[in-house]
Amino acid sequence: MKEPIIKVKDLRVIYNQGKSNEVRSLEDANVEIYPQEYVIIFGPSGCGKSTLLYAISGLQAPTYGDVSIEGKKLSEMNKKEKVNLHRNNIGMVFQAFYLVPSLNIIGNVCLPKSFSGISKKVREKDGMGLLQRFSIAEQAYKFPSELSGGQKQRVSIARSLINNPQIILADEPVGNLDSESAENVLRILKELNEIDKKTIILVTHNPEHLHFADRIIYMKDGKIVKEEVNKEKRPIEVVKKTQEEPDYQIPVEMKILMRTFRNLNPQQLGVLLVPFKAKQLLDHVLSDLTELQLNSAENYLKELLFHNMDIGTFERSLDMDFEKGGASWNKKRANSFASKIRLILEATEFISDEREKDKHHLILAEYLRKNFSLKLDEKLYMRLQSFLKLRMENKIDGFGLAKKMDLPVKMGGLGLYRNTADKITREVEIIMLLKYTRE
Ligand code: ADP
Ligand code: MG
């Protein structure tokens, strides 16, 4: 269970190598597929999906690199071993079905068994079982030309299963089917994965199919460009190893913010971070508006944080009626909200200037004293500054900061009410979040 059932290493496929019509269909593909995974290979037409699938199946010889199935290298198999591989270990399903027109349906399904030395009667019993399972038993003695596309594809799936292989490879199996038949076929493949525990690789260019997969491999121009996991089925060590790659590392700063903002996750590190910031900032400043007013304001806030809009336009947009494309707030509220946002953004800007790094905690302390009308004597104000310094250097998290502010003066704290300490901390965390950028 711990080893991949399919291993693709540094695989390259070049058609017409060295000629003027050379095509690099696959470049340095590395894929590991684990038993019982349902993997989709997704990408636009011509990106190399079929080439990858055929290389995995052994139907396409690689120009460089290697494929192993169940621990055995394809390149080291002799002809007989390859035939056995296709007969017993891999079932294939194609967009064009490839049924033999002169054989009836049960004959087609049992074709891969006809060299096995088992009597026709026993063979057909297994075949009929599969036809029943896929609701096409009534078609058993008809010929392929008498069946619909969806039925033909179910026949070809039955044929791929007749020798009970562990792996099913399907190349755009629903590419030519109407949506209802397509759904039907995709449900069958999902069931084969979930109930029969088959390992499935499905090639598709249709994004609507992606939710079926445990894992999605995205391809573009002959390369694997991205991978997405819906349901993790790989062994824990493998997943851990993958996540330790630089791309997956979460900086300490982010980890500490994640303690306060429970919905914050590593996937938001890129472009998605700004919408998240907008949402948090909004939740923080507001409470009693309608959903519509909030949603609309949130969108403007995103524009503001993406720097597509200045603060003046932002304020006017909040005040404008829905009909005119505004957020339908009133002037007073729009004004006080925009002022608050402006102050927070200014504070964020001040503490984002790396040249002033050693003054950041002083600036933040000043901002907090003003905005929360804090009455602290010189000694306590210096304590506040030192607490903020600890927080900004990520030596404590939001909870640590709140605790220090809440702690009685005698015990080295600021002696603030719990409520005030939490409010101030929340503001600090918001500013730290807004300040946060990936590099
Ligand atoms: P996909 O399945 O993603 O649509 P393919 O793997 O079929 O893509 O093809 C990838 C690229 O390789 C395309 O540019 C295609 O034209 C080219 N190609 C595929 N098969 C051959 C072949 N037998 N000879 C030359 N070029 C080919
Ligand atoms: Mg293809």
Side-chain angles (χ1 to χ4, degrees):
M1 284 298 276
K2 293 227 163 90
E3 286 304 305
I5 191 167
I6 297 168
K7 218 167 162 170
V8 175
K9 193 156 165 30
D10 303 325
L11 197 69
R12 254 187 261 174
V13 175
I14 306 173
Y15 292 109
N16 311 316
Q17 192 174 19
K19 300 196 188 129
S20 60
N21 57 349
E22 180 178 292
V23 184
R24 293 170 169 266
S25 294
L26 203 57
E27 298 203 57
D28 297 313
N30 284 287
V31 182
E32 291 192 342
I33 291 169
Y34 284 80
Q36 305 184 14
E37 273 198 297
Y38 186 154
V39 174
I40 283 184
I41 300 172
F42 174 78
S45 174
C47 71
K49 304 182 294 296
S50 298
T51 305
L52 177 56
L53 197 74
Y54 297 156
I56 288 173
S57 74
L59 296 177
Q60 169 66 52
T63 314
Y64 300 97
D66 220 323
V67 176
S68 309
I69 308 283
E70 295 178 356
K72 205 155 178 354
K73 282 187 179 174
L74 288 179
S75 59
E76 289 170 3
M77 287 186 192
N78 61 33
K79 212 167 172 179
K80 191 163 164 239
E81 286 173 310
K82 269 201 180 170
V83 170
N84 279 331
L85 180 79
H86 277 114
R87 195 175 294 159
N88 301 315
N89 306 65
I90 298 180
M92 295 216 50
V93 181
F94 303 90
Q95 178 170 357
F97 322 126
Y98 298 134
L99 301 177
V100 180
S102 58
L103 285 178
N104 63 16
I105 295 307
I106 187 72
N108 266 284
V109 169
C110 298
L111 195 59
K113 246 185 157 54
S114 54
F115 313 98
S116 57
I118 303 167
S119 77
K120 190 173 167 194
K121 213 167 154 193
V122 176
R123 283 202 314 256
E124 293 204 346
K125 192 167 156 274
D126 289 349
M128 282 308 283
L130 286 165
L131 291 180
Q132 262 151 18
R133 176 168 179 186
F134 302 144
S135 320
I136 36 174
E138 285 168 22
Q139 328 295 330
Y141 297 99
K142 290 187 184 162
F143 288 84
S145 61
E146 299 172 77
L147 268 59
S148 73
Q151 289 172 325
K152 276 191 264 198
Q153 196 55 295
R154 281 181 273 160
V155 173
S156 101
I157 292 175
R159 179 186 55 188
S160 78
L161 289 168
I162 193 76
N163 289 323
N164 199 21
Q166 186 44 49
I167 302 167
I168 306 285
L169 307 180
D171 189 7
E172 308 258 9
V174 301
N176 276 336
L177 304 182
D178 62 86
S179 60
E180 200 184 322
S181 310
E183 187 66 29
N184 200 319
V185 165
L186 290 168
R187 252 206 311 272
I188 289 174
L189 290 172
K190 186 71 181 169
E191 186 185 299
L192 290 173
N193 174 248
E194 286 187 333
I195 296 172
D196 300 69
K197 308 294 178 201
K198 303 288 183 200
T199 308
I200 310 258
I201 308 182
L202 173 84
V203 162
T204 183
H205 66 266
N206 187 343
E208 287 170 25
H209 301 157
L210 299 183
H211 70 275
F212 282 105
D214 299 320
R215 193 149 61 93
I216 303 147
I217 293 171
Y218 290 82
M219 289 191 68
K220 205 182 158 201
D221 300 332
K223 295 192 185 81
I224 293 171
V225 290
K226 189 173 84 161
E227 189 182 293
E228 216 168 75
V229 179
N230 289 338
K231 184 173 176 195
E232 193 58 77
K233 285 188 180 165
R234 292 170 294 178
I236 295 159
E237 312 89 81
V238 175
V239 177
K240 261 204 207 132
K241 213 173 104 212
T242 321
Q243 286 179 343
E244 272 163 19
E245 284 168 12
D247 224 5
Y248 287 88
Q249 261 178 29
I250 310 171
V252 176
E253 215 177 336
M254 180 76 170
K255 274 188 192 153
I256 290 181
L257 280 167
M258 282 164 75
R259 292 187 204 158
T260 306
F261 301 100
R262 293 301 170 100
N263 309 328
L264 185 59
N265 64 55
Q267 281 77 44
Q268 280 158 336
L269 273 176
V271 189
L272 289 177
L273 189 58
V274 170
F276 182 78
K277 288 178 178 178
K279 177 122 187 55
Q280 295 307 318
L281 184 51
L282 190 72
D283 285 353
H284 173 64
V285 177
L286 295 174
S287 42
D288 59 337
L289 288 161
T290 68
E291 183 129 70
L292 195 54
Q293 283 172 318
L294 282 181
N295 284 342
S296 163
E298 188 178 334
N299 286 330
Y300 285 126
L301 200 45
K302 276 180 215 162
E303 297 292 315
L304 183 71
L305 293 182
F306 273 123
H307 305 291
N308 294 336
M309 187 182 256
D310 63 26
I311 188 94
T313 316
F314 175 67
E315 190 183 322
R316 281 191 299 280
S317 307
L318 291 181
D319 183 29
M320 242 189 299
D321 287 338
F322 284 134
E323 290 83 346
K324 294 191 185 135
S328 212
W329 294 16
N330 63 44
K331 203 167 225 100
K332 204 167 143 220
R333 167 165 251 152
N335 176 267
S336 87
F337 180 73
S339 308
K340 178 104 190 161
I341 299 274
R342 181 191 279 122
L343 280 174
I344 293 180
L345 292 182
E346 271 171 7
T348 307
E349 196 147 60
F350 278 128
I351 64 157
S352 298
D353 184 351
E354 278 308 301
R355 289 165 305 181
E356 304 279 358
K357 207 171 164 118
D358 46 4
K359 291 193 198 125
H360 285 173
H361 60 293
L362 306 179
I363 295 166
L364 193 53
E366 187 49 39
Y367 169 83
L368 294 174
R369 175 152 74 176
K370 242 192 358 224
N371 284 281
F372 288 88
S373 313
L374 292 175
K375 290 182 184 54
L376 300 170
D377 64 24
E378 195 59 26
K379 183 183 83 180
L380 293 186
Y381 188 60
M382 274 168 72
R383 269 188 199 169
L384 173 65
Q385 292 173 335
S386 71
F387 298 161
L388 291 171
K389 189 157 189 282
L390 288 175
R391 175 63 192 96
M392 297 185 86
E393 289 170 355
N394 291 305
K395 292 188 175 136
I396 54 172
D397 62 11
F399 297 102
L401 180 63
K403 219 162 127 193
K404 281 184 181 297
M405 291 198 279
D406 181 44
L407 208 67
V409 175
K410 264 188 278 176
M411 295 171 69
L414 293 186
L416 298 178
Y417 288 122
R418 182 81 224 186
N419 205 358
T420 313
D422 284 342
K423 256 209 290 274
I424 296 174
T425 300
R426 187 86 191 152
E427 188 114 12
V428 171
E429 295 294 300
I430 281 282
I431 290 170
M432 299 282 289
L433 174 71
L434 291 169
K435 172 183 181 269
Y436 181 80
T437 47
R438 215 184 157 183
E439 43 305 314

